[in-house]
Amino acid sequence: MTVMAKPEHTNARTMVSAPSLSPATIAKPDLISVEQAKTMDVARMTDLFKAHLNPGQLHFMKLLGFHKIKIERAEGMFYIDQNRRKILDFFGGFGSLAFGHNHPRILEARRKFQEEKCQEIAIAFMSQYAAALAHNIAKCSPGDLDMVFLGSSGSEAMEAAVKLAERAAGPKRPKVVYAENSFHGKTKGVLGITDGLLYRAEFKMADNTVRIPFADIEAVERAFRSDPEIGVIVLETIQGGGGIIQAPAEYWQKLRALCDQHGVLWVADEVQCGYGRSGRFYAFEHYGVVPDVTALAKSLGGGKAAVGAMIARREIYMKAYGTPKTAMIHAMATFGGMGEACVTSIEALNVLYDEGLIDNAAATGDYLLQRLQALKEKYPKIIKDVRGKGLMVGLEFHDFSQTLPMVLRPIVSVLDDKLKGSLSGFVGALLLRDYDVLVAFTEYNRNVIRLEPPLICLREHVDRFVDAFDSLLSRGIVSIVKDFVKSQVR
């Protein structure tokens, strides 16, 4: 095969000639086998990650010490690395591991599906598995939320939700309200209602959006009254990337009333806070209200499949896509409703209720918050706030200068903005290195550690995490910084 390029132009296209039409066998490239991938060491993983995935991300993995770890297995609440170290998972894949790792019932459902050689992609026909999953999701949803669109991710589910609502609102009401510090996905459409400069970068955003503060009902009312073109409002019920931020019950009740009064459709983003994580199937159920459209993903796939879903009131769905002429405007994509993914989700929903995991999220989440509140009282100069609902918890540190001895505060305070997130990073890195505990962070408030353990989490797991966290904080901030610096030069 001949390769021709223009080396004098760095942006020149590489031209590849067509293969000759000869009967010769096409040579197999130097491919890595499954077994070779399984036995790959950390050094080789690092080389390939740098060469083919995301070299910039590797910088942050090195800072946190995550680049030294190769996960060999995962089971229940734990990852197991190349040294057979069991790492307690309080990260939970941003809420995508409600059942922990490799739940046996979910594995068994997938095994049977494969052994029976059931259809995986059957776009030309109706799928009994997609139909059954849609039915189950509708049964789990309150009110008249009963029309389901199946996709492969939270971003895709939210794209479907916003498109449906905008179309149902009509061309005379094209504007979409969203909140400060919101995160609704990174795909091009929902990027316009994701309030993050990092993610927006220099992309051209849609010009039909209106930004308001989160949890400010007066701002919602002002927007609705002043702009009759507003047809949709999109809100996370609990802001995840914003730092685990909630609004009071009366906010959601007044929001529902305002939407009804002004004819605005409410889209509730439950991708992260839904599916039982808050102690109810949907977080909005805590407030006695039902949106017009909502979305799920993360744990919907049982930790083994990529599944997202939009769920809408039938009236809204029919306005948008209810005729033969409009039905295919936003029909399922190729991988929406794949057989094994649907079977995985069907079994996962049954496990969710059979094992009482929603109730466990509420009870264990309350216990986690109580224990963390006690730590806040023990370390008031370090921990600023503890908040959350169920097993979606945020732990916020004070700005770095405020955690230091009084004599150092004036000197360091001028650097607080640049140092935001540093303490979270130090603590996260040392929890992993010294205590075998994995935690997560938030996108917008970098002083917040995000805790979203699997819904199978028990008190014993909470105790192990909190005791480790207590032990680490007892070193004092200066020692924590020194220990982290030492870890970077080893």
Side-chain angles (χ1 to χ4, degrees), residues 90 238 246 276-280 286 357-375 386-394 451 453-455 457-459 462-463 466:
F90 260 60
I238 302 174
Q246 301 177 71
R277 180 150 296 277
S278 73
R280 298 294 295 269
H286 288 283
L357 297 185
I358 300 177
D359 292 333
N360 185 67
T364 307
D366 284 346
Y367 180 64
L368 174 60
L369 285 166
Q370 290 168 19
R371 289 224 56 193
L372 290 176
Q373 189 62 40
L375 278 194
V386 172
R387 55 183 178 263
K389 194 177 286 292
L391 288 173
M392 186 172 181
V393 173
L451 306 173
L455 306 191
C457 182
L458 302 174
R459 285 190 171 210
V462 171
D463 288 338
V466 176

mmCIF file of all heavy atoms in Angstrom, residues 90 238 246 276-280 286 357-375 386-394 451 453-455 457-459 462-463 466:
data_model
loop_
_atom_site.group_PDB
_atom_site.id
_atom_site.type_symbol
_atom_site.label_atom_id
_atom_site.label_comp_id
_atom_site.label_asym_id
_atom_site.label_seq_id
_atom_site.Cartn_x
_atom_site.Cartn_y
_atom_site.Cartn_z
ATOM 1 N N PHE A 90 -16.121 4.331 46.375
ATOM 2 C CA PHE A 90 -17.085 5.361 46.756
ATOM 3 C C PHE A 90 -17.252 6.393 45.637
ATOM 4 O O PHE A 90 -17.863 7.435 45.834
ATOM 5 C CB PHE A 90 -16.672 6.031 48.072
ATOM 6 C CG PHE A 90 -17.437 5.497 49.260
ATOM 7 C CD1 PHE A 90 -17.368 4.153 49.590
ATOM 8 C CD2 PHE A 90 -18.240 6.315 50.025
ATOM 9 C CE1 PHE A 90 -18.073 3.636 50.655
ATOM 10 C CE2 PHE A 90 -18.957 5.821 51.105
ATOM 11 C CZ PHE A 90 -18.874 4.471 51.423
ATOM 12 N N ILE A 238 -31.042 17.301 41.252
ATOM 13 C CA ILE A 238 -29.897 17.576 42.126
ATOM 14 C C ILE A 238 -28.710 17.825 41.216
ATOM 15 O O ILE A 238 -28.366 16.974 40.389
ATOM 16 C CB ILE A 238 -29.589 16.395 43.075
ATOM 17 C CG1 ILE A 238 -30.793 16.057 43.949
ATOM 18 C CG2 ILE A 238 -28.378 16.716 43.956
ATOM 19 C CD1 ILE A 238 -30.612 14.809 44.795
ATOM 20 N N GLN A 246 -28.939 21.148 45.929
ATOM 21 C CA GLN A 246 -30.375 20.868 45.903
ATOM 22 C C GLN A 246 -31.172 22.163 46.013
ATOM 23 O O GLN A 246 -30.662 23.182 46.479
ATOM 24 C CB GLN A 246 -30.752 19.976 47.095
ATOM 25 C CG GLN A 246 -30.024 18.647 47.140
ATOM 26 C CD GLN A 246 -30.386 17.856 48.374
ATOM 27 O OE1 GLN A 246 -31.502 17.358 48.482
ATOM 28 N NE2 GLN A 246 -29.463 17.758 49.314
ATOM 29 N N GLY A 276 -33.066 5.611 41.892
ATOM 30 C CA GLY A 276 -32.973 5.182 43.280
ATOM 31 C C GLY A 276 -31.876 5.814 44.098
ATOM 32 O O GLY A 276 -31.826 5.639 45.321
ATOM 33 N N ARG A 277 -30.984 6.569 43.462
ATOM 34 C CA ARG A 277 -29.822 7.088 44.181
ATOM 35 C C ARG A 277 -30.199 8.024 45.323
ATOM 36 O O ARG A 277 -29.522 8.064 46.363
ATOM 37 C CB ARG A 277 -28.871 7.793 43.196
ATOM 38 C CG ARG A 277 -27.624 8.367 43.863
ATOM 39 C CD ARG A 277 -26.460 8.389 42.930
ATOM 40 N NE ARG A 277 -26.075 7.036 42.539
ATOM 41 C CZ ARG A 277 -25.297 6.233 43.273
ATOM 42 N NH1 ARG A 277 -24.850 6.635 44.449
ATOM 43 N NH2 ARG A 277 -24.978 5.036 42.831
ATOM 44 N N SER A 278 -31.256 8.779 45.183
ATOM 45 C CA SER A 278 -31.643 9.753 46.219
ATOM 46 C C SER A 278 -32.484 9.139 47.333
ATOM 47 O O SER A 278 -32.822 9.808 48.301
ATOM 48 C CB SER A 278 -32.436 10.899 45.579
ATOM 49 O OG SER A 278 -33.734 10.449 45.214
ATOM 50 N N GLY A 279 -32.853 7.872 47.180
ATOM 51 C CA GLY A 279 -33.770 7.251 48.136
ATOM 52 C C GLY A 279 -35.193 7.168 47.627
ATOM 53 O O GLY A 279 -36.078 6.649 48.306
ATOM 54 N N ARG A 280 -35.440 7.670 46.442
ATOM 55 C CA ARG A 280 -36.668 7.451 45.668
ATOM 56 C C ARG A 280 -36.229 7.114 44.251
ATOM 57 O O ARG A 280 -35.093 7.416 43.866
ATOM 58 C CB ARG A 280 -37.556 8.704 45.675
ATOM 59 C CG ARG A 280 -38.045 9.141 47.039
ATOM 60 C CD ARG A 280 -38.999 8.156 47.695
ATOM 61 N NE ARG A 280 -40.247 8.013 46.962
ATOM 62 C CZ ARG A 280 -41.344 8.748 47.183
ATOM 63 N NH1 ARG A 280 -41.334 9.687 48.131
ATOM 64 N NH2 ARG A 280 -42.440 8.552 46.487
ATOM 65 N N HIS A 286 -39.426 13.137 45.776
ATOM 66 C CA HIS A 286 -39.357 13.642 47.152
ATOM 67 C C HIS A 286 -40.262 14.863 47.348
ATOM 68 O O HIS A 286 -40.640 15.175 48.473
ATOM 69 C CB HIS A 286 -37.920 14.047 47.500
ATOM 70 C CG HIS A 286 -36.981 12.893 47.684
ATOM 71 N ND1 HIS A 286 -36.954 12.115 48.817
ATOM 72 C CD2 HIS A 286 -36.028 12.386 46.856
ATOM 73 C CE1 HIS A 286 -36.030 11.181 48.697
ATOM 74 N NE2 HIS A 286 -35.443 11.327 47.516
ATOM 75 N N LEU A 357 -32.939 -1.887 47.155
ATOM 76 C CA LEU A 357 -31.786 -0.991 47.063
ATOM 77 C C LEU A 357 -32.169 0.484 47.154
ATOM 78 O O LEU A 357 -31.337 1.310 47.571
ATOM 79 C CB LEU A 357 -31.014 -1.268 45.769
ATOM 80 C CG LEU A 357 -30.405 -2.671 45.661
ATOM 81 C CD1 LEU A 357 -29.564 -2.791 44.392
ATOM 82 C CD2 LEU A 357 -29.564 -3.004 46.888
ATOM 83 N N ILE A 358 -33.381 0.833 46.779
ATOM 84 C CA ILE A 358 -33.805 2.235 46.927
ATOM 85 C C ILE A 358 -33.937 2.571 48.412
ATOM 86 O O ILE A 358 -33.468 3.618 48.879
ATOM 87 C CB ILE A 358 -35.120 2.502 46.178
ATOM 88 C CG1 ILE A 358 -34.949 2.222 44.678
ATOM 89 C CG2 ILE A 358 -35.570 3.947 46.385
ATOM 90 C CD1 ILE A 358 -36.221 2.381 43.867
ATOM 91 N N ASP A 359 -34.561 1.682 49.161
ATOM 92 C CA ASP A 359 -34.661 1.882 50.610
ATOM 93 C C ASP A 359 -33.280 1.898 51.251
ATOM 94 O O ASP A 359 -33.015 2.679 52.173
ATOM 95 C CB ASP A 359 -35.503 0.768 51.246
ATOM 96 C CG ASP A 359 -36.963 0.836 50.832
ATOM 97 O OD1 ASP A 359 -37.438 1.937 50.508
ATOM 98 O OD2 ASP A 359 -37.626 -0.216 50.825
ATOM 99 N N ASN A 360 -32.397 1.032 50.771
ATOM 100 C CA ASN A 360 -31.035 1.006 51.320
ATOM 101 C C ASN A 360 -30.297 2.313 51.041
ATOM 102 O O ASN A 360 -29.543 2.810 51.896
ATOM 103 C CB ASN A 360 -30.242 -0.159 50.730
ATOM 104 C CG ASN A 360 -28.868 -0.280 51.359
ATOM 105 O OD1 ASN A 360 -28.740 -0.595 52.545
ATOM 106 N ND2 ASN A 360 -27.834 -0.034 50.583
ATOM 107 N N ALA A 361 -30.517 2.880 49.848
ATOM 108 C CA ALA A 361 -29.884 4.163 49.523
ATOM 109 C C ALA A 361 -30.324 5.240 50.496
ATOM 110 O O ALA A 361 -29.515 6.061 50.949
ATOM 111 C CB ALA A 361 -30.220 4.573 48.093
ATOM 112 N N ALA A 362 -31.606 5.243 50.844
ATOM 113 C CA ALA A 362 -32.115 6.237 51.795
ATOM 114 C C ALA A 362 -31.510 6.033 53.181
ATOM 115 O O ALA A 362 -31.002 6.979 53.801
ATOM 116 C CB ALA A 362 -33.641 6.157 51.863
ATOM 117 N N ALA A 363 -31.551 4.792 53.678
ATOM 118 C CA ALA A 363 -31.091 4.524 55.044
ATOM 119 C C ALA A 363 -29.574 4.657 55.175
ATOM 120 O O ALA A 363 -29.074 5.322 56.099
ATOM 121 C CB ALA A 363 -31.530 3.121 55.467
ATOM 122 N N THR A 364 -28.841 4.045 54.247
ATOM 123 C CA THR A 364 -27.380 4.112 54.323
ATOM 124 C C THR A 364 -26.891 5.519 54.014
ATOM 125 O O THR A 364 -25.893 5.978 54.577
ATOM 126 C CB THR A 364 -26.744 3.087 53.360
ATOM 127 O OG1 THR A 364 -27.295 1.796 53.628
ATOM 128 C CG2 THR A 364 -25.249 3.020 53.540
ATOM 129 N N GLY A 365 -27.612 6.209 53.123
ATOM 130 C CA GLY A 365 -27.259 7.595 52.835
ATOM 131 C C GLY A 365 -27.423 8.485 54.057
ATOM 132 O O GLY A 365 -26.580 9.355 54.326
ATOM 133 N N ASP A 366 -28.491 8.289 54.806
ATOM 134 C CA ASP A 366 -28.679 9.054 56.051
ATOM 135 C C ASP A 366 -27.538 8.790 57.024
ATOM 136 O O ASP A 366 -27.023 9.709 57.669
ATOM 137 C CB ASP A 366 -30.013 8.689 56.711
ATOM 138 C CG ASP A 366 -31.210 9.316 56.015
ATOM 139 O OD1 ASP A 366 -31.011 10.234 55.193
ATOM 140 O OD2 ASP A 366 -32.347 8.892 56.289
ATOM 141 N N TYR A 367 -27.125 7.525 57.127
ATOM 142 C CA TYR A 367 -26.033 7.167 58.033
ATOM 143 C C TYR A 367 -24.725 7.811 57.577
ATOM 144 O O TYR A 367 -23.961 8.341 58.401
ATOM 145 C CB TYR A 367 -25.895 5.644 58.080
ATOM 146 C CG TYR A 367 -24.799 5.154 58.990
ATOM 147 C CD1 TYR A 367 -24.853 5.381 60.365
ATOM 148 C CD2 TYR A 367 -23.712 4.449 58.478
ATOM 149 C CE1 TYR A 367 -23.841 4.924 61.211
ATOM 150 C CE2 TYR A 367 -22.695 3.985 59.308
ATOM 151 C CZ TYR A 367 -22.767 4.226 60.672
ATOM 152 O OH TYR A 367 -21.767 3.779 61.510
ATOM 153 N N LEU A 368 -24.461 7.799 56.267
ATOM 154 C CA LEU A 368 -23.262 8.437 55.731
ATOM 155 C C LEU A 368 -23.249 9.929 56.044
ATOM 156 O O LEU A 368 -22.231 10.483 56.488
ATOM 157 C CB LEU A 368 -23.188 8.206 54.227
ATOM 158 C CG LEU A 368 -22.074 8.927 53.457
ATOM 159 C CD1 LEU A 368 -20.704 8.527 53.966
ATOM 160 C CD2 LEU A 368 -22.184 8.650 51.951
ATOM 161 N N LEU A 369 -24.380 10.597 55.842
ATOM 162 C CA LEU A 369 -24.463 12.034 56.130
ATOM 163 C C LEU A 369 -24.257 12.314 57.619
ATOM 164 O O LEU A 369 -23.590 13.292 57.985
ATOM 165 C CB LEU A 369 -25.815 12.580 55.658
ATOM 166 C CG LEU A 369 -25.971 12.751 54.141
ATOM 167 C CD1 LEU A 369 -27.431 12.961 53.771
ATOM 168 C CD2 LEU A 369 -25.123 13.923 53.640
ATOM 169 N N GLN A 370 -24.821 11.465 58.484
ATOM 170 C CA GLN A 370 -24.631 11.654 59.929
ATOM 171 C C GLN A 370 -23.164 11.534 60.314
ATOM 172 O O GLN A 370 -22.639 12.351 61.086
ATOM 173 C CB GLN A 370 -25.460 10.618 60.694
ATOM 174 C CG GLN A 370 -26.957 10.827 60.641
ATOM 175 C CD GLN A 370 -27.714 9.618 61.163
ATOM 176 O OE1 GLN A 370 -27.164 8.771 61.871
ATOM 177 N NE2 GLN A 370 -28.993 9.532 60.810
ATOM 178 N N ARG A 371 -22.498 10.525 59.794
ATOM 179 C CA ARG A 371 -21.087 10.327 60.133
ATOM 180 C C ARG A 371 -20.216 11.455 59.581
ATOM 181 O O ARG A 371 -19.272 11.899 60.235
ATOM 182 C CB ARG A 371 -20.608 8.975 59.621
ATOM 183 C CG ARG A 371 -21.180 7.794 60.397
ATOM 184 C CD ARG A 371 -20.113 6.764 60.700
ATOM 185 N NE ARG A 371 -18.980 7.318 61.404
ATOM 186 C CZ ARG A 371 -17.803 6.678 61.558
ATOM 187 N NH1 ARG A 371 -17.654 5.467 61.059
ATOM 188 N NH2 ARG A 371 -16.789 7.261 62.193
ATOM 189 N N LEU A 372 -20.537 11.927 58.382
ATOM 190 C CA LEU A 372 -19.761 13.027 57.815
ATOM 191 C C LEU A 372 -20.034 14.342 58.542
ATOM 192 O O LEU A 372 -19.140 15.186 58.690
ATOM 193 C CB LEU A 372 -20.072 13.170 56.318
ATOM 194 C CG LEU A 372 -19.549 12.051 55.422
ATOM 195 C CD1 LEU A 372 -20.015 12.255 53.990
ATOM 196 C CD2 LEU A 372 -18.020 11.962 55.477
ATOM 197 N N GLN A 373 -21.264 14.528 58.992
ATOM 198 C CA GLN A 373 -21.589 15.721 59.772
ATOM 199 C C GLN A 373 -20.776 15.753 61.055
ATOM 200 O O GLN A 373 -20.299 16.814 61.484
ATOM 201 C CB GLN A 373 -23.089 15.754 60.085
ATOM 202 C CG GLN A 373 -23.571 17.060 60.703
ATOM 203 C CD GLN A 373 -23.382 18.262 59.798
ATOM 204 O OE1 GLN A 373 -23.596 18.173 58.598
ATOM 205 N NE2 GLN A 373 -22.978 19.393 60.371
ATOM 206 N N ALA A 374 -20.586 14.584 61.669
ATOM 207 C CA ALA A 374 -19.755 14.508 62.875
ATOM 208 C C ALA A 374 -18.308 14.890 62.562
ATOM 209 O O ALA A 374 -17.635 15.555 63.370
ATOM 210 C CB ALA A 374 -19.830 13.104 63.464
ATOM 211 N N LEU A 375 -17.824 14.491 61.388
ATOM 212 C CA LEU A 375 -16.472 14.887 60.986
ATOM 213 C C LEU A 375 -16.385 16.387 60.734
ATOM 214 O O LEU A 375 -15.358 17.015 61.033
ATOM 215 C CB LEU A 375 -16.056 14.141 59.719
ATOM 216 C CG LEU A 375 -15.521 12.717 59.853
ATOM 217 C CD1 LEU A 375 -14.841 12.295 58.553
ATOM 218 C CD2 LEU A 375 -14.557 12.578 61.004
ATOM 219 N N VAL A 386 -21.368 19.590 54.388
ATOM 220 C CA VAL A 386 -21.724 18.227 54.003
ATOM 221 C C VAL A 386 -23.176 18.259 53.551
ATOM 222 O O VAL A 386 -24.032 18.788 54.260
ATOM 223 C CB VAL A 386 -21.562 17.242 55.182
ATOM 224 C CG1 VAL A 386 -22.117 15.875 54.817
ATOM 225 C CG2 VAL A 386 -20.104 17.142 55.609
ATOM 226 N N ARG A 387 -23.477 17.733 52.387
ATOM 227 C CA ARG A 387 -24.848 17.824 51.876
ATOM 228 C C ARG A 387 -25.132 16.678 50.907
ATOM 229 O O ARG A 387 -24.210 16.030 50.394
ATOM 230 C CB ARG A 387 -25.067 19.171 51.169
ATOM 231 C CG ARG A 387 -24.061 19.462 50.062
ATOM 232 C CD ARG A 387 -24.263 20.824 49.448
ATOM 233 N NE ARG A 387 -23.269 21.107 48.432
ATOM 234 C CZ ARG A 387 -22.152 21.817 48.631
ATOM 235 N NH1 ARG A 387 -21.901 22.339 49.827
ATOM 236 N NH2 ARG A 387 -21.294 22.028 47.648
ATOM 237 N N GLY A 388 -26.400 16.456 50.667
ATOM 238 C CA GLY A 388 -26.781 15.436 49.710
ATOM 239 C C GLY A 388 -28.091 14.787 50.084
ATOM 240 O O GLY A 388 -28.780 15.188 51.030
ATOM 241 N N LYS A 389 -28.447 13.780 49.304
ATOM 242 C CA LYS A 389 -29.677 13.025 49.533
ATOM 243 C C LYS A 389 -29.418 11.594 49.114
ATOM 244 O O LYS A 389 -28.918 11.339 48.019
ATOM 245 C CB LYS A 389 -30.838 13.634 48.751
ATOM 246 C CG LYS A 389 -32.217 13.124 49.188
ATOM 247 C CD LYS A 389 -33.332 13.825 48.426
ATOM 248 C CE LYS A 389 -33.540 15.259 48.885
ATOM 249 N NZ LYS A 389 -34.084 15.324 50.268
ATOM 250 N N GLY A 390 -29.752 10.641 50.001
ATOM 251 C CA GLY A 390 -29.476 9.251 49.702
ATOM 252 C C GLY A 390 -27.987 9.036 49.561
ATOM 253 O O GLY A 390 -27.184 9.540 50.352
ATOM 254 N N LEU A 391 -27.600 8.286 48.529
ATOM 255 C CA LEU A 391 -26.184 8.017 48.282
ATOM 256 C C LEU A 391 -25.641 8.902 47.160
ATOM 257 O O LEU A 391 -24.908 8.453 46.275
ATOM 258 C CB LEU A 391 -25.983 6.534 47.972
ATOM 259 C CG LEU A 391 -26.142 5.627 49.202
ATOM 260 C CD1 LEU A 391 -26.102 4.159 48.816
ATOM 261 C CD2 LEU A 391 -25.080 5.929 50.261
ATOM 262 N N MET A 392 -26.020 10.170 47.207
ATOM 263 C CA MET A 392 -25.452 11.209 46.348
ATOM 264 C C MET A 392 -25.062 12.352 47.271
ATOM 265 O O MET A 392 -25.882 13.183 47.652
ATOM 266 C CB MET A 392 -26.463 11.677 45.306
ATOM 267 C CG MET A 392 -25.893 12.655 44.299
ATOM 268 S SD MET A 392 -27.082 12.984 42.952
ATOM 269 C CE MET A 392 -26.109 14.112 41.943
ATOM 270 N N VAL A 393 -23.784 12.368 47.664
ATOM 271 C CA VAL A 393 -23.328 13.219 48.764
ATOM 272 C C VAL A 393 -22.139 14.057 48.321
ATOM 273 O O VAL A 393 -21.240 13.574 47.617
ATOM 274 C CB VAL A 393 -22.945 12.356 49.989
ATOM 275 C CG1 VAL A 393 -22.307 13.206 51.092
ATOM 276 C CG2 VAL A 393 -24.182 11.634 50.530
ATOM 277 N N GLY A 394 -22.139 15.316 48.733
ATOM 278 C CA GLY A 394 -21.025 16.211 48.479
ATOM 279 C C GLY A 394 -20.386 16.650 49.781
ATOM 280 O O GLY A 394 -21.080 16.978 50.742
ATOM 281 N N LEU A 451 -19.372 11.792 46.470
ATOM 282 C CA LEU A 451 -19.482 10.415 46.941
ATOM 283 C C LEU A 451 -20.755 9.807 46.361
ATOM 284 O O LEU A 451 -21.860 10.232 46.688
ATOM 285 C CB LEU A 451 -19.526 10.370 48.471
ATOM 286 C CG LEU A 451 -18.370 11.083 49.186
ATOM 287 C CD1 LEU A 451 -18.615 11.120 50.689
ATOM 288 C CD2 LEU A 451 -17.040 10.414 48.876
ATOM 289 N N PRO A 453 -21.361 6.030 46.060
ATOM 290 C CA PRO A 453 -21.092 4.589 46.107
ATOM 291 C C PRO A 453 -22.265 3.790 45.559
ATOM 292 O O PRO A 453 -23.388 4.303 45.460
ATOM 293 C CB PRO A 453 -20.895 4.322 47.604
ATOM 294 C CG PRO A 453 -21.716 5.381 48.280
ATOM 295 C CD PRO A 453 -21.565 6.600 47.403
ATOM 296 N N PRO A 454 -22.040 2.540 45.188
ATOM 297 C CA PRO A 454 -23.144 1.690 44.744
ATOM 298 C C PRO A 454 -24.258 1.619 45.784
ATOM 299 O O PRO A 454 -24.013 1.768 46.985
ATOM 300 C CB PRO A 454 -22.467 0.323 44.552
ATOM 301 C CG PRO A 454 -21.041 0.656 44.223
ATOM 302 C CD PRO A 454 -20.731 1.870 45.050
ATOM 303 N N LEU A 455 -25.473 1.371 45.325
ATOM 304 C CA LEU A 455 -26.622 1.315 46.233
ATOM 305 C C LEU A 455 -26.626 0.057 47.087
ATOM 306 O O LEU A 455 -27.471 -0.077 47.983
ATOM 307 C CB LEU A 455 -27.930 1.406 45.441
ATOM 308 C CG LEU A 455 -28.093 2.592 44.487
ATOM 309 C CD1 LEU A 455 -29.532 2.683 43.991
ATOM 310 C CD2 LEU A 455 -27.647 3.901 45.104
ATOM 311 N N CYS A 457 -24.188 -0.433 49.021
ATOM 312 C CA CYS A 457 -23.321 0.024 50.114
ATOM 313 C C CYS A 457 -23.988 -0.245 51.472
ATOM 314 O O CYS A 457 -25.166 0.064 51.674
ATOM 315 C CB CYS A 457 -23.039 1.508 49.944
ATOM 316 S SG CYS A 457 -21.935 2.207 51.177
ATOM 317 N N LEU A 458 -23.213 -0.774 52.418
ATOM 318 C CA LEU A 458 -23.697 -1.068 53.764
ATOM 319 C C LEU A 458 -23.007 -0.168 54.774
ATOM 320 O O LEU A 458 -22.027 0.511 54.472
ATOM 321 C CB LEU A 458 -23.435 -2.535 54.104
ATOM 322 C CG LEU A 458 -24.051 -3.579 53.166
ATOM 323 C CD1 LEU A 458 -23.585 -4.983 53.551
ATOM 324 C CD2 LEU A 458 -25.573 -3.483 53.175
ATOM 325 N N ARG A 459 -23.496 -0.201 55.998
ATOM 326 C CA ARG A 459 -22.899 0.622 57.056
ATOM 327 C C ARG A 459 -21.423 0.298 57.245
ATOM 328 O O ARG A 459 -20.624 1.185 57.549
ATOM 329 C CB ARG A 459 -23.656 0.423 58.373
ATOM 330 C CG ARG A 459 -25.002 1.131 58.406
ATOM 331 C CD ARG A 459 -25.595 1.112 59.799
ATOM 332 N NE ARG A 459 -26.772 1.960 59.881
ATOM 333 C CZ ARG A 459 -27.161 2.591 60.975
ATOM 334 N NH1 ARG A 459 -26.479 2.461 62.094
ATOM 335 N NH2 ARG A 459 -28.238 3.357 60.963
ATOM 336 N N VAL A 462 -19.524 2.309 54.829
ATOM 337 C CA VAL A 462 -19.510 3.707 55.271
ATOM 338 C C VAL A 462 -18.496 3.882 56.384
ATOM 339 O O VAL A 462 -17.698 4.836 56.381
ATOM 340 C CB VAL A 462 -20.907 4.154 55.734
ATOM 341 C CG1 VAL A 462 -20.845 5.522 56.398
ATOM 342 C CG2 VAL A 462 -21.882 4.179 54.559
ATOM 343 N N ASP A 463 -18.496 2.979 57.360
ATOM 344 C CA ASP A 463 -17.562 3.091 58.484
ATOM 345 C C ASP A 463 -16.118 3.027 58.000
ATOM 346 O O ASP A 463 -15.266 3.796 58.464
ATOM 347 C CB ASP A 463 -17.823 1.973 59.495
ATOM 348 C CG ASP A 463 -19.111 2.170 60.272
ATOM 349 O OD1 ASP A 463 -19.593 3.323 60.347
ATOM 350 O OD2 ASP A 463 -19.639 1.174 60.804
ATOM 351 N N VAL A 466 -15.387 6.450 56.239
ATOM 352 C CA VAL A 466 -15.323 7.598 57.153
ATOM 353 C C VAL A 466 -14.131 7.467 58.101
ATOM 354 O O VAL A 466 -13.452 8.459 58.393
ATOM 355 C CB VAL A 466 -16.642 7.754 57.931
ATOM 356 C CG1 VAL A 466 -16.528 8.885 58.950
ATOM 357 C CG2 VAL A 466 -17.798 8.038 56.978
#
